[in-house]
Amino acid sequence: MARRRQSVTIKHVAADAGVSLQTVSRVINNGPNVRAEMKERVQASIDKLGYVPSIAAQRMSGSRSYIILAINDRDLTIADWRAREGRDWVDQMLLGGMLTCAEHGYRMLIELVDTHNDHVERELGAAIAALQPDGVILTPPNSENSLITGLLAERGIPFARIGSKRDGPGIAMTMGDTHNARLATEHLIELGHERIGLIAGPEGFSLSEWRIEGWQQAMEKRGLSYEGLFERGDFGFDSGAEAARKLLDRERPPTAIIASSDQMALATLEVARDRGLDIPGDLSLISFDNSPIVRFTQPALTAIDQPIAATTSRAVELLIGARKTKPAEHPISLKGELVVRGSTAQAPVRGAS
């Protein structure tokens, strides 16, 4: 039987370089009081042996865990995973967060917390005690949960609040929701649409209100009324279908609809087809999220591509740098882009305006 190859450890590096374990640790962690000659000797041993620093080795410095922890809502995340409907919020978070963490010698972990029960502090406290993260990323609706933000602030853990502009501790970050909704609305206006409906998200999310603001701003700028063109959903398919039916049942229905999630946009597409409406001939449709599934509908959906990966990447950079620099005082906003596909076209010409 072949012998299993022994893993290279920090002890091997120290022995090869002829230095102490503490010296190797200081070199790995860019610690102070290490001569250039010593750094070169240790690095040469690392390169020769193919040593990859482990989190345990890095923690020998005693000051950092080299872990960034992202907190996601348990119910929403599990529901998305079980539905297997192509939503990729977590994937995009991992893409941006893990790659940036790796560049700095960190690891990113995701913890699911039930933010709707009375034990959220206990759940989060247990995760923090076990992992001792150097920073935490909060996503909606956790980013505006005062129990969570208060706990992190009390324990002195740097954290980023994605989807929040509220005053308070932590680094406030947004993904340009007002700008993104305005961008989508302006695209439809340029195509000649005057009655543009919006299916917004639930009231518990600040980003829902920001998107409403962007839609209203674009309509007002062109002197267009949005009265009777607004409905809400919960980001899910069924709520999107109900909202779409209400909009299309109006005496003067919209010629275009912006849906605040891909699932609600897919529901709107189905409702429209059930009524014999052509997309985009009779009704133009724009979605938020731009998850993979919208590329394979017929027609493919025009969508707002939210900068989830870029925002998470920036959050990681800010949290890693929080020890050295003062966090930004104003909310940090990264903006999304409009990806134009086949679901939007010139407004239909109708006999009655």
Side-chain angles (χ1 to χ4, degrees):
M1 180 181 296
R3 294 178 61 188
R4 189 168 65 182
R5 184 178 177 181
Q6 185 178 18
S7 299
V8 177
T9 69
I10 191 173
K11 293 182 179 179
H12 296 114
V13 174
D16 187 79
V19 300
S20 67
L21 293 176
Q22 289 74 18
T23 298
V24 176
S25 178
R26 285 199 298 271
V27 171
I28 292 171
N29 293 292
N30 295 315
N33 304 321
V34 181
R35 299 192 310 274
E37 178 185 354
M38 188 64 69
K39 286 184 179 180
E40 291 178 4
R41 187 198 306 179
V42 172
Q43 189 59 53
S45 294
I46 289 174
D47 294 341
K48 181 176 76 173
L49 298 174
Y51 172 67
V52 178
S54 67
I55 291 176
Q58 290 173 313
R59 282 186 171 183
M60 286 183 66
S61 65
S63 60
R64 286 179 284 179
S65 67
Y66 290 87
I67 290 175
I68 299 296
L69 181 64
I71 304 295
N72 253 30
D73 182 88
R74 176 180 292 152
D75 290 346
L76 292 175
T77 304
I78 292 176
D80 284 351
W81 285 344
R82 285 177 172 165
R84 302 181 71 179
E85 292 170 336
R87 285 171 280 194
D88 63 346
W89 168 273
V90 173
D91 290 346
Q92 289 297 307
M93 281 188 64
L94 291 173
L95 171 63
M98 291 181 71
L99 291 180
T100 305
C101 278
E103 290 176 5
H104 296 276
Y106 279 69
R107 297 293 184 271
M108 180 175 173
L109 301 177
I110 287 187
E111 187 79 9
L112 302 183
V113 173
D114 185 357
T115 58
H116 306 291
N117 68 28
D118 297 330
H119 309 298
V120 61
E121 290 178 281
R122 186 175 67 190
E123 283 193 34
L124 183 57
I128 291 172
L131 300 170
Q132 300 178 16
D134 289 333
V136 173
I137 298 174
L138 300 177
T139 60
N142 303 329
S143 49
E144 295 190 330
N145 186 318
S146 59
L147 290 175
I148 293 176
T149 58
L151 176 65
L152 294 173
E154 181 182 338
R155 300 199 180 189
I157 300 173
F159 61 97
R161 296 182 281 121
I162 296 177
S164 176
K165 293 190 288 189
R166 290 181 182 175
D167 293 334
I171 304 168
M173 305 184 73
T174 76
M175 292 188 286
D177 291 277
T178 301
H179 165 84
N180 299 341
R182 190 166 56 239
L183 189 66
T185 309
E186 289 171 348
H187 171 68
L188 293 168
I189 292 173
E190 289 170 2
L191 292 172
H193 293 275
E194 296 182 351
R195 294 187 58 76
I196 301 170
L198 175 69
I199 302 177
E203 294 181 346
F205 290 73
S206 290
L207 60 85
S208 298
E209 312 312 310
W210 300 334
R211 293 176 186 178
I212 295 170
E213 291 174 8
W215 167 68
Q216 290 176 338
Q217 289 172 5
M219 296 288 278
E220 289 172 354
K221 184 178 179 180
R222 298 295 184 94
L224 300 175
S225 172
Y226 45 77
E227 184 178 354
L229 294 171
F230 170 77
E231 291 292 340
R232 282 191 188 271
D234 61 9
F235 295 130
F237 188 94
D238 291 341
S239 71
E242 181 180 356
R245 283 191 287 268
K246 289 179 179 178
L247 287 175
L248 294 174
D249 281 341
R250 300 283 201 269
E251 184 177 346
R252 295 181 62 220
T255 62
I257 292 177
I258 301 169
S260 281
S261 75
D262 287 338
Q263 292 301 310
M264 294 197 297
L266 293 172
T268 303
L269 180 64
E270 182 173 294
V271 169
R273 283 185 170 160
D274 287 345
R275 296 177 177 226
L277 298 177
D278 176 71
I279 306 291
D282 298 315
L283 180 71
S284 285
L285 180 59
I286 295 181
S287 176
F288 267 78
D289 296 340
N290 195 37
S291 57
I293 196 170
V294 303
R295 306 173 199 173
F296 304 109
T297 58
Q298 291 295 327
L301 296 184
T302 294
I304 290 291
D305 189 21
Q306 294 195 95
I308 301 169
T311 302
T312 309
S313 174
R314 182 66 178 137
V316 167
E317 291 175 345
L318 291 169
L319 292 173
I320 291 175
R323 292 169 172 265
K324 301 178 181 178
T325 60
K326 185 179 179 180
E329 295 182 359
H330 301 288
I332 296 168
S333 181
L334 284 75
K335 297 177 180 178
E337 298 179 351
L338 181 69
V339 181
V340 179
R341 299 192 180 95
S343 66
T344 52
Q346 292 290 326
V349 177
R350 293 179 177 173
S353 61

